[in-house]
Amino acid sequence: MALLKRKSKTTDQISKKTVLYAQNVRKSFGSKGNVQQVLKGIDLRVEEGEFVGIMGASGAGKTTLLNILATIDRATEGTILISGSDISKMKDAAMAAFRRNQLGFIFQDYNLLDTLTVKENILLPVSLGKMRKKLAEAEFRTIADILGIADLADKYPHEISGGQKQRTSAARALINQPSMVFADEPTGALDSKSASSLLGTMADINEKRGVTIMMVTHDPLASSYCSRVVFLKDGNIYTELYKGDKTRQAFFQEILNIQAVLGGESIDAL
């Protein structure tokens, strides 16, 4: 959907299909006389089932924005609703519970526990929540099959490859049936083959299971798997692209063109 104009809206006016609604999100660091404004008033809406990429040059504010929307950090100012819940007004304990029950995370460095098996790592969010064991087991089998890691269930992180670790991380993010999954440079530590495989699977999960995903990446190839790409520049939204009916190659070229305007690095071919 189009970016929001800055005007007052109530929760009731927001579409039931809107998973994330952010208005006038600002973030500053520092104190008197030395304040750095990283986000300068972001307005953004993400609809159910979207796969949104966030791009921008280093320092544009993309990771800061992801951390705030994902409840890892707090905005200095602004309103953020996820599935109708106003996270900008939550106390720390309520926010931690919301994060555990409603959100999924895929990080560049996997964040797996070495003492747990692949299956135990994937089921960890469920063990902290209220999902029944039978349902959790069924969801594990489904997700592990989709991600191609069912045969790794009893292995430990040190026994599997980087690509398999990231797929385990992705499965862990999905096991709790979250309202939204946040991914921070999920392919940053992977070789090109593993990266393409993971992104293709994420796009497939997004399309077939309707999982809403927001991914920060510097890589135009990764962004070409998204349905929409939002570009940040100096703490503001510069522009956005929608894939629509375009081929991934055509969308990739459009992303490269915007990246060139922003002065980002690009790669030569898909």
Side-chain angles (χ1 to χ4, degrees):
M1 299 296 290
L3 301 180
L4 303 176
K5 295 180 180 179
R6 272 183 211 155
K7 59 182 180 179
S8 177
K9 284 182 177 287
T10 66
T11 303
D12 292 339
Q13 291 174 300
I14 299 172
S15 165
K16 291 182 179 179
K17 292 186 177 181
T18 300
V19 177
L20 184 146
Y21 168 91
Q23 185 178 48
N24 194 30
V25 175
R26 299 173 181 270
K27 180 65 177 181
S28 299
F29 296 96
S31 55
K32 294 180 183 179
N34 188 29
V35 176
Q36 180 185 9
Q37 196 172 22
V38 179
L39 299 179
K40 302 175 182 177
I42 300 292
D43 292 342
L44 183 65
R45 186 197 296 260
V46 176
E47 303 296 338
E48 182 180 351
E50 279 197 283
F51 187 175
V52 179
I54 305 292
M55 295 192 74
S58 179
K62 55 187 184 294
T63 297
T64 299
L65 177 62
L66 183 82
N67 287 343
I68 288 172
L69 298 179
T71 73
I72 296 170
D73 196 3
R74 288 186 181 271
T76 303
E77 182 182 339
T79 299
I80 303 168
L81 304 180
I82 298 180
S83 295
S85 296
D86 190 345
I87 65 170
S88 50
K89 294 181 179 179
M90 286 183 183
K91 301 295 184 182
D92 289 346
M95 185 176 285
F98 181 85
R99 185 186 307 119
R100 182 177 64 247
N101 296 324
Q102 296 292 329
L103 305 180
F105 301 90
I106 307 173
F107 299 103
Q108 180 176 335
D109 56 359
Y110 320 130
N111 284 1
L112 301 177
L113 297 180
D114 293 334
T115 57
L116 300 182
T117 65
V118 165
K119 182 177 181 179
E120 289 168 342
N121 267 286
I122 293 170
L123 290 173
L124 186 59
V126 176
S127 69
L128 300 173
K130 299 179 180 179
M131 185 182 291
R132 289 179 299 177
K133 185 176 180 180
K134 188 174 181 179
L135 177 58
E137 287 285 341
E139 190 68 6
F140 165 77
R141 288 193 297 272
T142 298
I143 293 172
D145 283 340
I146 291 172
L147 288 165
I149 54 175
D151 60 335
L152 304 177
D154 296 326
K155 291 186 177 295
Y156 289 86
H158 72 272
E159 298 178 306
I160 61 179
S161 69
Q164 291 167 337
K165 289 178 183 177
Q166 194 58 294
R167 286 174 174 272
T168 300
S169 178
R172 182 184 57 193
L174 294 165
I175 193 68
N176 221 21
Q177 301 176 344
S179 298
M180 192 162 182
V181 171
F182 293 93
D184 187 6
E185 298 282 6
T187 62
L190 303 180
D191 59 58
S192 59
K193 182 178 179 180
S194 296
S196 295
S197 179
L198 175 67
L199 289 163
T201 302
M202 287 175 64
D204 195 47
I205 289 171
N206 163 254
E207 181 179 351
K208 294 181 179 179
R209 289 173 63 92
V211 177
T212 307
I213 304 172
M214 176 176 285
M215 175 178 69
V216 161
T217 181
H218 69 282
D219 184 358
L221 180 59
S223 285
S224 70
Y225 285 84
C226 299
S227 56
R228 173 165 56 125
V229 181
V230 177
F231 295 86
L232 300 187
K233 182 179 181 181
D234 299 329
N236 293 297
I237 291 179
Y238 175 76
T239 191
E240 61 180 347
L241 294 176
Y242 287 85
K243 184 176 183 181
D245 295 328
K246 303 181 191 78
T247 65
R248 189 164 63 81
Q249 187 165 7
F251 193 45
F252 170 79
Q253 189 58 55
E254 286 192 355
I255 293 167
L256 281 181
N257 292 342
I258 296 296
Q259 194 176 43
V261 172
L262 290 175
E265 296 180 355
S266 63
I267 55 181
D268 294 331
L270 183 62

